[in-house]
Amino acid sequence: MTKQIQIAIDGPAAAGKSTIAKKTAELLGYTYVDTGAMYRAITYKAIQLNIDLQDGEKLTKLLDETSIELKPSSRGQIVFLDSEEVTEEIRSEQVTASVSIVAAHANLRKEMVLRQLEMGKNGAIVMDGRDIGTHVLTNAELKVFMSASVEERAKRRFLENQKRGISTNIEILMKEIALRDKMDSEREASPLIKAEDAIFIDTTSLTIEQVSEKIMQLAKERMI
Ligand code: DC
């Protein structure tokens, strides 16, 4: 019998983590958890309620009284915030530009990690984010750290936006991605870093299929 494992996928914005994590979960019949969506959901709620995004105490209290659910569906993972579906809303430019500020608060992160641990406790899970290998699924059988050049990531985001009917400027995307990298990597609480035991994959010149194949091979080796 094959063993059910935990797979942690970390890396900077737009490195292709969610596409790959989703595909891996699908191929293995595992649960997929997009932890970025959880940080986005609380950011969305805070913006709606006009809460100061610098106020970590208030935001942590807000999270305590907030339910965030991630559910699989035929159109991918859908996100519920206090029972209201917010899958599209949490991808808005306003949320994208603000989420790194919210994700920097240490106590808020502690609560998020507890929720993520609960989701991952039974294994058979693929979780993606920034601190999964270092702070959440620290014993995961497979840890991957994915990255790609800023230019390549901006290009991918540009094409993704184009498909969704959103027109963006590639130069601006590059600046935004570089700024988010900087904020996510330089924050004090659980900064974006590769776990020592994570496998680094540079996806700059690889296709989705090539990365997926590589990860499936690594996963299968660990399922025996
Ligand atoms: O992966 P994403 O772009 O949806 O993530 C949104 C933000 O949330 C990103 O700026 C970093 C933050 N994040 C985090 O700090 N820790 C995680 N585990 C996941 C996301």
Side-chain angles (χ1 to χ4, degrees), residues 59-94:
L59 290 170
T60 307
K61 196 163 164 282
L62 180 72
L63 179 60
D64 284 342
E65 50 204 42
T66 298
S67 117
I68 300 170
E69 284 175 288
L70 308 175
K71 292 187 184 161
S73 84
S74 55
R75 56 192 168 94
Q77 182 189 255
I78 46 178
V79 184
F80 289 91
L81 176 67
D82 300 324
S83 312
E84 181 200 345
E85 204 209 308
V86 293
T87 313
E88 283 300 316
E89 288 81 348
I90 63 165
R91 305 280 155 200
S92 73
E93 283 201 27
Q94 195 186 13

Side-chain angles (χ1 to χ4, degrees), residues 95-222:
V95 172
T96 301
S98 312
V99 61
S100 288
I101 306 169
V102 173
H105 299 298
N107 286 334
L108 178 133
R109 298 196 67 85
K110 269 190 203 153
E111 171 60 24
M112 285 295 194
V113 170
L114 288 178
R115 295 184 188 200
Q116 291 153 7
L117 280 172
E118 183 60 30
M119 293 171 175
K121 70 176 182 203
N122 295 326
I125 193 151
V126 183
M127 198 176 276
D128 77 8
R130 303 293 190 284
D131 60 342
I132 310 307
T134 52
H135 287 86
V136 186
L137 305 179
T138 49
N139 293 319
E141 286 83 356
L142 175 58
K143 295 182 185 179
V144 173
F145 191 93
M146 276 173 55
S147 195
S149 69
V150 173
E151 291 78 4
E152 178 63 24
R153 287 187 281 138
K155 198 172 93 193
R156 290 179 193 166
R157 203 30 70 86
F158 175 83
L159 294 172
E160 206 177 286
N161 285 347
Q162 206 175 39
K163 256 195 224 154
R164 291 165 60 208
I166 305 167
S167 73
T168 30
N169 174 310
I170 201 145
E171 299 292 325
I172 293 176
L173 280 177
M174 273 174 59
K175 278 196 191 132
E176 280 173 1
I177 288 175
L179 177 68
R180 213 136 67 89
D181 281 1
K182 189 170 153 61
M183 288 178 72
D184 292 341
S185 316
E186 291 181 359
R187 70 172 174 233
E188 247 171 70
S190 316
L192 169 69
I193 45 165
K194 178 186 155 310
E196 255 178 44
D197 52 351
I199 294 164
F200 181 80
I201 303 180
D202 181 349
T203 70
T204 307
S205 53
L206 299 178
T207 63
I208 292 171
E209 283 66 33
Q210 286 171 323
V211 181
S212 171
E213 243 171 63
K214 206 174 171 91
I215 292 185
M216 282 302 288
Q217 189 194 334
L218 293 167
K220 285 192 178 138
E221 285 166 13
R222 286 156 178 79

